[in-house]
Amino acid sequence: MTSPHPTSRTVHALDRHGFVRDWLISPAWRSGCDDLAHVLSATGSPWGDDGRWVLTNGPDAAPLKRRLYRLHPLLTDQPLPGLAEGAAFDWTRSAGDAPSSARWRREHTGEDGLLDWSEFCFTPEYRHALAGAVLEVDQGEYRDLEVGCTGPFVLFVDGRPVLTGTEFAYMEPRPRHVRVRLRSGVTTVHLATWQVAFREVRHVARLRVGGLPVRVVLPSPGADEYRARAAEQLLESLAVGPWACADGRTGISGPAGGRLLVSVDGRPAEPVVLPDRGTAPVALAGRAPETENTASMLATGENVLRITADDPRSPVFRTARVATLPPRRRAEPVGDRTAWRAELLDHAGRAVPGAARALARHALAPDAPLDPADLDGPLTMLADRADCADFEAVGLVHLWHRIPRPHWPPGRREAVREALTGFKYWIDQPGLDAMCYFTENHQFVWHTAELLAGELLPDEEFTNTGWPGHRHAAHAGPLAEEWMRRKLTGGFSEFDSNAYLAIDTLALVSLVEFASSDPLRRLAEALLDKVLLTLACNSWRGVHGAAHGRSYTPTLRSSRFEETAPVMWLLWGVGSLNGAVLPATALATAEHYRVPPVIPAIAADLPDEWDGRQVYRGHYRLHHDLLSRPYDSDLRVWRTPDAMLSSVQDYRAGLPGLQEHVWGATLGSEVQVFATHPAAATIGSSARPNAWAGQRVLPRARQHRDTVVVLHRLPEAAEATEATHLWFPADLCDEWREQGCWLAGRVGDGYAAVATAGGFRPDTTGDEARQAWTPFGDGRAFVATVGRRATDGSFADFTRSLAAPGFGRDRHGDPEVSWTARDGRRLHLSWSGAFTVDGALPDPDPAPPHLDSPACRQEFGARELRAALRDAELVLDLDTGRRVTPASGIPPTGQDGDSRGRAAPVGRDDDEDPAPPSAGGATDRRSGH
């Protein structure tokens, strides 16, 4: 339908929950949070109700945020800007502030109705934003309006403030209600929001209209509502994807003949015409994955597509996200360790400026001068006390040791000295900042940075504390030692995190290389051996496919984004070269640490059946973790030459989740299959949990060999979190099929299949089309199994052999499931009862082993860790934290801190000549000159 004259507006419906999905919004205006000293002390103890510890822990920051809001409340007595798409306007956050300026821009929310201004903020900052829409009814009626927000807000109706909120929530928006009368015709609503960010911030808001539906009108000069309605129907019919794009292209499919304009990452839009069959290609050119890397934080790799109808009178649009994959990926090793090291260094040497690039370039061209651009980012982060600056401090220590003084630009070495001596190294030291001290990986990086900086400059004053460097080293040394001993004997709370094992590796190799204490260096060497041993046992063809204690959506969709991928490339020739280059580059330039040969051998070994188990148990510490309870995880890994299945058993089942990856089947780097109970529509890391990383409520999972059974006890809630969903990228499989309640796929000779009551229906539109699947039934129970051609025959044979599981409810009304596996095993799991295989407990021993796999078995409390494969062996003395074999570990340290002898760098063959010592070595380390 067309109109001879534009109506200068677009008209939209509420969704089925009553959420307003279409808005005009401002950007998130931001300003530095420079008045923290008014509510917190920068010195003294950081603990207590009013202590500065809350700055780095989102869930406990609400009281502090309320105090700050009282200093800067939203200003309600000001003219409200008129609504018109593209129109300029001013808005003042609080009394006494200068006005903020912007132009209204259109926004269409996700299925949870949330306007999302969330962003990771490396330093504390105030944020505020404004949204507006027009509600239209033909007869004046009362409506219940519900505002959900994670921070303070004011809802204005026709210019009057009718509802305010002053409370803060961490992740889920808090609802507030008001009953208003909508007059006949149009009623304008404005929603003003306020936040203060300490690192992460979930800055979201939504509006729900109760009762009979209303129209949502967005004034838009030159627009025609009839054309826009037709365009919106076209846009809602589009499918984009797949998410993982290996060749720099994606596709759009939809009604044949549809004419679109597509912009990628803000570039000028290109015309696209939808074909009769298949997809219209869209080039993602302009992103260079080989050069757009980060030093220690991995970017998402995503491209944002803005899609509109090719119609100047229709401003409506949809966005889609797809990822340009790092192109260098290996499932089989090619070459040898010398080649892998050269490949890694070449890759890191072409990264964006930073410590990793400088280290790699120096290793490749030892006589080349240090590019000052490689120091700019790290120095800025330390000066700003930005979150993750601890990683950069460790990187600067590497540069100080590795790059000789003559190769430094004038004044830059002194700038590094000033940055390291002026930095804050732990929560109890002076300063108001939002750097994270509490997560497991950050704790150890802090201790490492403080120890090494203190030993680097032992007699210099560190201006933040007034301590000499040797006192900082003395402060950090016992903390680092305690952390390592706890992890060496009990394992990690963030078990097998594909985000953080690499960061742990960075800190450990740094201690091995630079710490002056021989016992501490040997302890770090032993723990690094153990970390890499578990990575080898719990990965498959360069995919770190284990269940994870902490993970992010991009790494679950493609292993090419895992921060452990470059480490695997360097050490055993598989994985991916992506942006997480600092840990791998530190390993590649190591002069003391050499990976024991048994570890790469285990990673490369793919027996017909690998049945592994890893049990981690320890205790949180209040002033390190903000928790004081025990933690434990029971990880299972089943892998064959063609597939992998992993899960964590009974992990906090029925409790709220965060970023845990509970179970997954792996057939390839982009074919990872798993289900979650989503907590939000977004996949962004500011929502924890979100749509795919983590679970709103954790399920119960139990695995026996090649099969995992999973139960969800869902809360009595609705909205977008009422159901589970499955990630199954069918179009990336070589073959896939639906059979009864089963969905099965094949990649090569590997098979994976998932079942739920009633089977699954795929998303057919949007950027998760044919990748996200929703259960037809209640989605409270899943069975997943993997197979292979060598044991299960053809893919058709495999799928025919899949018996229908018995899905039901126990006497309490909770879910239960039984399934007879292909080999006759009968698995049964109820929510409260024991997991049984053929009516018996599969793990009757109440004292499980710490590690158990074909290569290694270790009991809790054992004094040794022994791993062996064929003629290769590793033995670690857990009492002293010392590598017993192989004998070629780190050499002893002399009294002056210099090492007497050098081990071959990691990545080099044993018979190669060791690398020459770096200039700026022993004397540099001890004197600071």
Side-chain angles (χ1 to χ4, degrees):
M1 293 175 24
T2 61
S3 171
H5 303 289
T7 60
S8 293
R9 69 181 203 166
T10 62
V11 179
H12 312 270
L14 304 174
D15 73 3
R16 64 190 180 93
H17 300 295
F19 290 135
V20 176
R21 300 281 300 278
D22 297 273
W23 293 85
L24 297 179
I25 69 169
S26 76
W29 294 295
R30 48 200 293 184
S31 60
C33 190
D34 55 6
D35 56 354
L36 289 173
H38 294 171
V39 293
L40 291 173
S41 173
T43 59
S45 172
W47 309 110
D49 292 342
D50 297 326
R52 59 186 179 273
W53 65 273
V54 298
L55 286 171
T56 65
N57 192 58
D60 292 300
L64 171 62
K65 290 184 174 184
R66 285 196 294 270
R67 294 200 296 274
L68 291 171
Y69 181 64
R70 286 195 289 268
L71 297 177
H72 307 282
L74 283 167
L75 180 62
T76 59
D77 184 17
Q78 62 178 307
L80 293 170
L83 293 180
E85 184 173 6
F89 67 96
D90 292 333
W91 177 255
T92 303
R93 178 191 64 182
S94 302
D97 290 343
S100 300
S101 299
R103 291 183 180 272
W104 288 114
R105 63 179 176 86
R106 178 179 297 267
E107 183 71 4
H108 180 75
T109 77
E111 291 184 358
D112 54 10
L114 288 171
L115 292 165
D116 196 342
W117 294 279
S118 303
E119 188 175 3
F120 190 93
C121 302
F122 287 90
T123 57
E125 64 181 43
Y126 292 115
R127 301 170 63 84
H128 65 291
L130 190 64
V134 176
L135 306 182
E136 184 177 65
V137 296
D138 289 346
Q139 295 85 31
E141 297 175 353
Y142 281 91
R143 291 290 191 276
D144 290 318
L145 302 185
E146 177 192 279
V147 174
C149 199
T150 49
F153 70 87
V154 179
L155 176 68
F156 300 87
V157 174
D158 279 339
R160 294 186 304 107
V162 299
L163 182 65
T164 62
T166 61
E167 296 300 310
F168 290 87
Y170 177 48
M171 285 292 157
E172 295 197 359
R174 298 187 59 171
R176 296 287 302 275
H177 299 263
V178 64
R179 186 169 177 81
V180 300
R181 187 177 188 280
L182 303 183
R183 63 188 179 187
S184 176
V186 296
T187 300
T188 302
V189 296
H190 290 78
L191 182 59
T193 66
W194 191 101
Q195 261 294 353
V196 57
F198 309 132
R199 302 175 60 246
E200 64 194 11
V201 60
R202 192 154 196 233
H203 185 179
V204 296
R206 67 186 175 197
L207 176 66
R208 177 171 20 206
V209 181
L212 292 173
V214 303
R215 288 185 294 274
V216 178
V217 175
L218 298 185
S220 182
D224 185 272
E225 64 187 273
Y226 309 109
R227 292 191 179 195
R229 182 174 64 191
E232 196 160 33
Q233 292 165 352
L234 170 63
L235 296 176
E236 284 291 321
S237 302
L238 301 179
V240 181
W243 178 86
C245 304
D247 60 356
R249 304 177 75 83
T250 190
I252 301 178
S253 60
R259 305 181 67 86
L260 308 172
L261 293 174
V262 181
S263 172
V264 180
D265 293 336
R267 296 195 297 274
E270 298 287 341
V272 171
V273 179
L274 298 178
D276 290 339
R277 293 185 178 87
T279 63
V282 175
L284 305 176
R287 181 182 294 271
E290 288 275 281
T291 57
E292 292 198 7
N293 294 314
T294 53
S296 57
M297 295 286 289
L298 186 58
T300 65
E302 286 185 326
N303 304 95
V304 179
L305 278 61
R306 180 185 173 99
I307 307 170
T308 64
D310 191 358
D311 183 342
R313 293 192 180 183
S314 172
V316 297
F317 70 94
R318 294 292 183 268
T319 57
R321 295 180 180 272
V322 295
T324 299
L325 299 181
R328 306 194 70 179
R329 151 77 189 159
R330 282 198 193 126
E332 299 277 356
V334 176
D336 57 21
R337 284 176 285 169
T338 302
W340 305 334
R341 178 177 184 268
E343 291 164 344
L344 183 281
L345 291 175
D346 176 70
H347 173 78
R350 290 184 286 115
V352 295
R357 188 180 79 155
L359 284 172
R361 289 184 170 185
H362 176 68
L364 294 170
D367 294 329
L370 172 63
D371 186 343
D374 288 324
L375 299 173
D376 292 343
L379 290 175
T380 298
M381 289 191 72
L382 266 68
D384 292 345
R385 296 192 181 176
D387 191 45
C388 299
D390 46 333
F391 303 161
E392 303 298 341
V394 173
L396 291 175
V397 169
H398 275 261
L399 297 185
W400 188 284
H401 282 293
R402 297 297 187 213
I403 300 180
R405 172 184 287 277
H407 298 337
W408 287 66
R412 303 307 281 168
R413 196 169 175 88
E414 290 70 24
V416 170
R417 182 197 309 272
E418 181 178 347
L420 292 175
T421 56
F423 196 41
K424 176 182 176 181
Y425 289 97
W426 194 234
I427 182 65
D428 57 6
Q429 295 169 15
L432 296 174
D433 58 85
M435 297 185 293
C436 181
Y437 304 92
F438 299 123
T439 58
E440 190 171 47
N441 67 103
H442 274 289
Q443 294 168 17
F444 186 52
V445 177
W446 281 118
H447 305 332
T448 299
E450 183 177 24
L451 173 70
L452 296 182
E455 291 188 341
L456 192 72
L457 305 164
D459 299 321
E460 297 207 18
E461 179 184 356
F462 281 54
T463 56
N464 186 56
T465 58
W467 299 352
H470 62 79
R471 182 175 174 185
H472 273 282
H475 173 263
L479 295 172
E481 179 179 355
E482 181 189 17
W483 189 95
M484 288 190 287
R485 290 195 180 279
R486 293 162 61 86
K487 308 311 171 188
L488 193 60
T489 57
F492 295 88
S493 61
E494 295 169 342
F495 58 92
D496 280 85
S497 170
N498 53 0
Y500 292 143
L501 278 191
I503 300 301
D504 298 331
T505 295
L506 168 65
L508 288 166
V509 73
S510 301
L511 288 184
V512 172
E513 294 297 300
F514 306 128
S516 63
S517 164
D518 187 65
L520 203 63
R521 296 169 67 217
R522 292 191 178 277
L523 191 65
E525 179 191 57
L527 183 53
L528 182 51
D529 286 349
K530 182 182 178 183
V531 165
L532 297 177
L533 172 65
T534 59
L535 179 59
C537 290
N538 299 337
S539 59
W540 175 86
R541 297 191 181 278
V543 180
H544 191 178
H548 306 300
R550 187 182 293 259
S551 195
Y552 294 87
T553 300
T555 65
L556 299 176
R557 292 182 171 183
S558 173
S559 68
R560 301 190 199 205
F561 292 114
E562 292 179 319
E563 294 196 49
T564 45
V567 173
M568 291 188 281
W569 185 291
L570 172 70
L571 297 182
W572 45 84
V574 296
S576 180
L577 293 178
N578 57 34
V581 289
L582 184 54
T585 306
L587 276 171
T589 55
E591 297 176 352
H592 298 312
Y593 184 78
R594 182 168 55 194
V595 64
V598 69
I599 294 177
I602 291 171
D605 188 54
L606 290 176
D608 288 345
E609 295 181 355
W610 173 289
D611 194 358
R613 186 179 185 186
Q614 171 186 286
V615 180
Y616 283 171
R617 290 182 175 176
H619 282 80
Y620 290 114
R621 297 169 295 168
L622 183 60
H623 285 181
H624 292 75
D625 306 292
L626 299 180
L627 295 170
S628 57
R629 60 170 175 81
Y631 66 79
D632 71 281
S633 60
D634 185 349
L635 180 73
R636 306 298 172 94
V637 171
W638 173 264
R639 68 186 199 191
T640 72
D642 302 304
M644 178 176 179
L645 180 71
S646 178
S647 63
V648 60
Q649 315 305 291
D650 283 333
Y651 184 79
R652 297 177 57 77
L655 293 174
L658 190 63
Q659 290 178 256
E660 305 88 350
H661 177 53
V662 174
W663 70 272
T666 301
L667 296 181
S669 58
E670 281 70 60
V671 182
Q672 301 185 71
V673 176
F674 58 97
T676 72
H677 175 212
T682 180
I683 64 172
S685 61
S686 292
R688 306 183 338 172
N690 60 34
W692 293 103
Q695 314 254 353
R696 186 167 188 257
V697 177
L698 288 161
R700 184 178 186 199
R702 291 302 301 263
Q703 181 175 340
H704 188 255
R705 293 172 57 83
D706 60 359
T707 301
V708 62
V709 288
V710 184
L711 300 178
H712 289 263
R713 178 192 265 175
L714 303 183
E716 296 299 325
E719 325 307 0
T721 60
E722 62 186 351
T724 55
H725 59 180
L726 175 74
W727 183 259
F728 190 105
D731 289 349
L732 298 180
C733 294
D734 296 330
E735 186 178 1
W736 65 275
R737 66 179 59 182
E738 297 174 86
Q739 181 171 296
C741 62
W742 289 94
L743 176 62
R746 176 184 69 83
V747 175
D749 291 333
Y751 313 141
V754 188
T756 192
F760 303 91
R761 63 174 178 269
D763 282 9
T764 57
T765 60
D767 56 9
E768 294 181 350
R770 295 180 298 277
Q771 300 167 106
W773 301 70
T774 303
F776 276 113
D778 62 14
R780 294 172 184 263
F782 296 85
V783 177
T785 189
V786 295
R788 56 191 299 247
R789 180 180 298 274
T791 55
D792 297 291
S794 68
F795 184 55
D797 292 336
F798 170 75
T799 55
R800 280 194 297 266
S801 69
L802 297 171
F807 297 106
R809 297 292 182 97
D810 64 16
R811 62 188 180 89
H812 304 293
D814 290 321
E816 65 177 347
V817 62
S818 298
W819 185 59
T820 301
R822 301 181 301 285
D823 59 5
R825 285 170 296 146
R826 183 165 180 80
L827 284 63
H828 177 80
L829 180 67
S830 63
W831 182 263
S832 303
F835 172 55
T836 60
V837 178
D838 293 330
L841 298 174
D843 304 310
D845 188 353
H850 180 33
L851 302 174
D852 189 17
S853 74
C856 175
R857 182 176 175 89
Q858 181 198 350
E859 306 294 339
F860 278 104
R863 301 180 64 180
E864 281 189 346
L865 188 160
R866 184 181 299 269
L869 184 68
R870 293 185 285 276
D871 58 349
E873 185 179 51
L874 169 67
V875 181
L876 300 177
D877 183 333
L878 300 180
D879 286 342
T880 61
R882 183 171 62 90
R883 184 194 291 179
V884 179
T885 59
S888 54
I890 56 176
T893 305
Q895 291 183 350
D896 63 354
D898 192 18
S899 298
R900 307 306 184 188
R902 300 277 177 173
V906 64
R908 290 181 177 270
D909 290 323
D910 293 350
D911 57 356
E912 288 183 324
D913 291 333
S918 294
T923 303
D924 225 346
R925 183 190 318 166
R926 301 299 294 165
S927 69
H929 296 290

